[in-house]
């Protein structure tokens, strides 16, 4: 029996580490299965890197930094130009891998890759993004100028729900700015990230400039405390985000942590009904609700409350599949643990008195008897003290509640501790302006359900959704991954000052 189990284990591929430009097998004794959430097939085994392997990755990045920081801006930019080209070439391959290990539909998976690709494209503008400032004659013969210089070794810790987009938020902006990088993807779906790492090497990223390690708390804590690491970027749960921020900050590192959310869509009775309800249902249930910008709360103002039956009917029409079928709207949750948690929260919502308008717990998906499926689920009559409102469910569960006025809706959104994103649906410019001015959230959509900004701007979650002042992409990312050095200069040349002939000095 032992021999049989060993043979099965050997037949399953292992995820590699990327250290110093080479994909290497880990010597660890701790492994985790990467499981297809639609079928429970074991796709691969991912190692939890040993302390020596973590040290080797960081040391490789430190060595590479010595020459990479001196690489010209043009050369760094050309690597990004090549990377965006080959990501575009392999888009479908990456999306297929992502679907198998994470559960997103193919359309959602391609969107995941594309939103990361946009950041790579923006990284190609480093020549203007990293510019400093210069002012002549601030005093007699004195000029002042500032330059933006890289920090050194930077690290990124990414979540399971966007295994392509969020790594691409991080390492391209970091390395194009002259840093080197150690990336720790989620151990639940690391294969997509490893494909991106292969493409990075193909694009010309030098050995050691990008390293990838795998693991859990030990790996996270090492990256947050190692003296060679100068900055840590994190996207994930609130609990881990607080741990990362506190640990990194107390070890003299920069840290940016994008964390949990409870995003509201406020729908006014004058809103375009079809557009608004389609947006609400798509944003609530797309990616099975497993995204930090999912709309999980619908706030129906005044007569808009009469649309609850229409919302339920639209939710019923969504197609739940294993993810690869044409026309799929949502696939499975990422794990059995996620499935159990979502089921328990739905049960809690019923116990606490919310009205379960649509129950997705008993869904059966043909051809996938073992999948982690929850169908679209809708509650109405939700109260702020209920657990389904207070917690980020991270599943296809939409909470609906009614208020009488826009002022009540704004107050309700602002009373929530999270501030990732929100949206309003209305045909009134005055109402939209009042909302965007008064609401306390990092990203605001006006007739847009998921207002994630394009990479020319930056992701700007706030309050309980974000720790750190700067966002993970756009100009703020360059600010995060660089430090400003200011130079005050005054030159003396006796011949020039005296009005005499200045002799050119040859420097050899």
């Amino acid at each position: 029996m032992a021999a049989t189990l060993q043979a099965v284990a050997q037949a399953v591929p292992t995820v590699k580490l990327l250290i110093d430009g080479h994909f290497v097998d880990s010597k660890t004794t701790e492994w985790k299965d990467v499981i297809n959430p639609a079928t429970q097939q074991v796709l691969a085994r991912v190692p939890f890197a040993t302390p020596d392997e973590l040290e080797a990755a960081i040391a490789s990045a430190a060595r590479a930094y010595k020459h990479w920081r001196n690489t010209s801006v043009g050369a760094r930019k050309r690597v990004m130009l090549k990377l965006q080209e080959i990501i575009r070439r392999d888009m479908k391959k990456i999306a297929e891998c992502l679907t198998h290990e994470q559960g997103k539909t193919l359309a959602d998976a391609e969107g995941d890759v594309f939103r990361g690709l946009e950041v790579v494209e923006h990284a190609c503008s480093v020549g203007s993004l990293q510019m400093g400032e210069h002012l002549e004659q601030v005093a007699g013969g004195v000029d002042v100028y500032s330059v933006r210089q890289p920090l050194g070794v930077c690290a990124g810790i990414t979540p399971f729900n966007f295994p392509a987009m969020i790594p691409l938020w991080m390492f391209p902006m970091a390395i194009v700015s002259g840093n080197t990088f150690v990336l720790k993807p989620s151990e639940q779906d690391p294969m997509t990230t490893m494909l991106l790492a292969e493409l990075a090497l193909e694009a010309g990223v030098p050995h050691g400039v990008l390293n990838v390690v795998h693991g859990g708390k030990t790996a996270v804590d090492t990256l947050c405390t190692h003296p060679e690491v100068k900055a840590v970027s994190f996207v994930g749960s609130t609990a881990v985000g607080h741990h990362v921020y506190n640990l990194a900050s107390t070890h003299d590192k920069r840290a940016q942590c994008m964390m949990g959310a409870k995003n509201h869509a406020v729908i006014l009775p004058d809103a375009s009904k079809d557009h608004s309800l389609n947006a609400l249902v798509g944003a609530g249930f797309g990616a099975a609700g497993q995204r930090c910008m999912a709309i999980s709360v619908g706030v129906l103002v005044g007569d808009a409350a009469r649309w609850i039956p229409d919302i339920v009917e639209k939710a019923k029409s969504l197609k739940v599949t294993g993810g690869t079928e044409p026309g799929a709207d949502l696939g499975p949750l990422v794990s059995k643990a996620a499935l159990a948690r979502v089921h328990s929260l739905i049960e809690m919502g019923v116990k606490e008195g919310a009205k379960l308008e649509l129950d997705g717990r008993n869904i059966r998906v043909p051809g996938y008897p073992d999948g982690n499926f929850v169908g679209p689920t809708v509650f109405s009559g939700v109260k702020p003290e209920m657990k389904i409102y207070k917690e980020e469910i991270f599943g296809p569960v939409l909470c609906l509640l009614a208020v009488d006025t826009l002022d009540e809706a704004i107050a309700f959104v602002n009373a929530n501790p999270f501030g990732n994103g929100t949206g309003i649906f209305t045909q009134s410019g005055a109402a939209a302006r009042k909302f965007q001015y008064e609401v306390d959230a990092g990203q605001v959509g006006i007739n847009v359900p998921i207002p994630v900004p394009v990479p020319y701007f930056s992701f700007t979650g706030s309050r309980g959704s974000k720790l750190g002042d700067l966002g993970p992409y756009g100009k703020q990312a360059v600010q995060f991954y660089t430090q400003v050095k200011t130079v005050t200069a005054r030159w003396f040349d006796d011949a020039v000052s005296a009005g005499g002939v200045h002799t050119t000095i040859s420097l050899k």
Side-chain angles (χ1 to χ4, degrees):
M1 175 63 77
T4 302
L5 291 174
Q6 184 178 8
V8 171
Q10 290 175 346
V12 176
T14 57
V15 180
K16 311 297 184 187
L17 306 170
L18 174 59
I19 299 176
D20 201 26
H22 302 285
F23 293 97
V24 298
D25 292 308
S26 175
K27 293 180 168 48
T28 188
T29 57
E30 185 178 1
W31 298 81
K32 180 181 175 64
D33 289 340
V34 180
I35 297 173
N36 183 320
T39 65
Q40 306 309 308
Q41 175 192 0
V42 178
L43 302 174
R45 298 169 68 234
V46 61
F48 281 41
T50 67
D52 286 346
E53 289 163 347
L54 295 170
E55 183 66 38
I58 296 169
S60 170
R63 289 192 302 271
Y65 176 65
K66 295 176 182 178
H67 64 80
W68 181 245
R69 68 167 302 190
N70 293 320
T71 302
S72 71
V73 171
R76 285 186 251 137
K77 179 182 72 174
R78 284 189 287 275
V79 172
M80 291 298 111
L81 286 167
K82 183 64 176 178
L83 180 59
Q84 67 85 25
E85 174 190 333
I86 59 182
I87 289 175
R88 194 177 296 277
R89 178 198 72 193
D90 287 355
M91 176 88 73
K92 291 190 180 299
K93 175 183 175 182
I94 302 167
E96 184 175 350
C97 175
L98 197 160
T99 292
H100 284 303
E101 68 172 347
Q102 201 277 337
K104 288 185 181 180
T105 66
L106 280 172
D108 266 341
E110 288 193 22
D112 187 328
V113 181
F114 182 76
R115 291 309 300 268
L117 175 62
E118 289 184 314
V119 176
V120 180
E121 292 172 341
H122 192 235
C124 299
S125 303
V126 65
S128 57
L129 294 174
Q130 202 170 339
M131 281 185 179
E133 298 174 315
H134 193 135
L135 183 62
E136 291 183 324
Q137 204 67 6
V138 298
V142 178
D143 303 333
V144 176
Y145 56 94
S146 65
V147 294
R148 286 198 166 272
Q149 295 184 328
L151 301 174
V153 179
C154 299
I157 301 161
T158 62
F160 75 85
N161 58 329
F162 283 92
M165 182 184 78
I166 295 178
L168 290 174
W169 280 8
M170 293 184 184
F171 77 81
M173 296 303 295
I175 66 178
V176 82
S177 301
N179 303 283
T180 55
F181 208 78
V182 181
L183 176 64
K184 194 213 83 68
S186 170
E187 65 277 13
Q188 295 190 78
D189 46 13
M191 298 163 63
T192 301
T193 303
M194 296 312 293
L195 279 178
L196 295 174
E198 291 178 19
L199 299 187
L201 295 188
E202 181 184 343
V205 173
H207 289 191
V209 171
L210 173 64
N211 301 270
V212 185
V213 295
H214 307 289
K217 186 176 184 299
T218 298
V220 169
D221 289 358
T222 299
L223 294 176
C224 291
T225 59
H226 198 286
E228 286 285 3
V229 176
K230 307 304 179 186
V232 179
S233 182
F234 168 87
V235 177
S237 72
T238 296
V240 179
H242 277 279
H243 173 75
V244 167
Y245 188 83
N246 292 335
L247 193 60
S249 298
T250 56
H251 285 80
D252 301 322
K253 306 182 193 313
R254 292 187 182 183
Q256 57 174 209
C257 297
M258 312 306 297
M259 306 180 298
K262 199 72 176 180
N263 306 312
H264 303 69
V266 174
I267 301 180
L268 300 188
D270 72 334
S272 171
K273 180 179 177 182
D274 286 343
H275 169 77
S276 302
L277 300 193
N278 285 335
L280 180 63
V281 169
F285 302 123
Q290 297 177 118
R291 50 190 177 199
C292 66
M293 285 299 292
I295 290 294
S296 56
V297 183
V299 182
L300 306 174
V301 179
D303 288 344
R306 70 184 187 276
W307 294 343
I308 290 176
D310 302 281
I311 295 170
V312 173
E313 288 305 309
K314 285 187 179 293
K316 286 180 179 178
S317 70
L318 297 181
K319 182 178 179 180
V320 183
T321 74
T324 57
E325 291 79 3
D329 293 302
L330 62 154
L333 297 175
V334 71
S335 67
K336 290 294 183 187
L339 179 70
R341 181 176 180 277
V342 171
H343 276 190
S344 70
L345 285 167
I346 294 172
E347 181 62 29
M348 181 60 68
V350 174
K351 288 180 179 179
E352 291 183 329
K355 184 179 179 182
L356 186 56
E357 303 274 0
L358 180 62
D359 188 352
R361 287 175 292 179
N362 297 316
I363 190 169
R364 298 290 179 267
V365 179
Y368 298 95
D370 301 318
N372 308 327
F373 295 101
V374 177
T377 298
V378 180
F379 280 103
S380 65
V382 175
K383 306 294 183 184
E385 65 272 13
M386 293 178 177
K387 194 171 184 179
I388 55 170
Y389 178 75
K390 291 192 294 184
E391 292 200 14
E392 185 177 26
I393 298 174
F394 233 56
V397 180
L398 179 62
C399 297
L400 300 177
L401 56 99
V403 298
D404 292 329
T405 66
L406 176 57
D407 284 330
E408 288 181 69
I410 293 171
F412 194 91
V413 174
N414 288 348
N416 191 280
F418 292 111
N420 215 29
T422 187
I424 186 170
F425 291 83
T426 180
Q427 296 187 64
S428 167
R433 188 184 185 283
K434 174 183 174 66
F435 181 81
Q436 65 90 23
Y437 182 75
E438 295 183 9
V439 78
D440 188 2
Q443 280 114 188
V444 179
I446 298 174
N447 296 314
V448 174
I450 302 179
V452 177
V454 293
Y456 323 123
F457 294 85
S458 193
F459 195 95
T460 49
S462 64
R463 294 192 286 141
S465 295
K466 178 183 178 183
L467 290 172
D469 295 332
L470 299 172
Y473 59 74
K475 292 180 181 178
Q476 290 187 18
V478 175
Q479 293 169 11
F480 178 75
Y481 289 119
T482 59
Q483 57 190 346
V484 176
K485 180 181 289 184
T486 304
V487 180
T488 302
R490 186 177 187 182
W491 294 97
F492 298 94
D493 187 316
D494 291 341
V496 172
S497 300
V501 178
H502 180 66
T503 303
T504 300
I505 301 173
S506 177
L507 300 178
K508 295 183 179 179

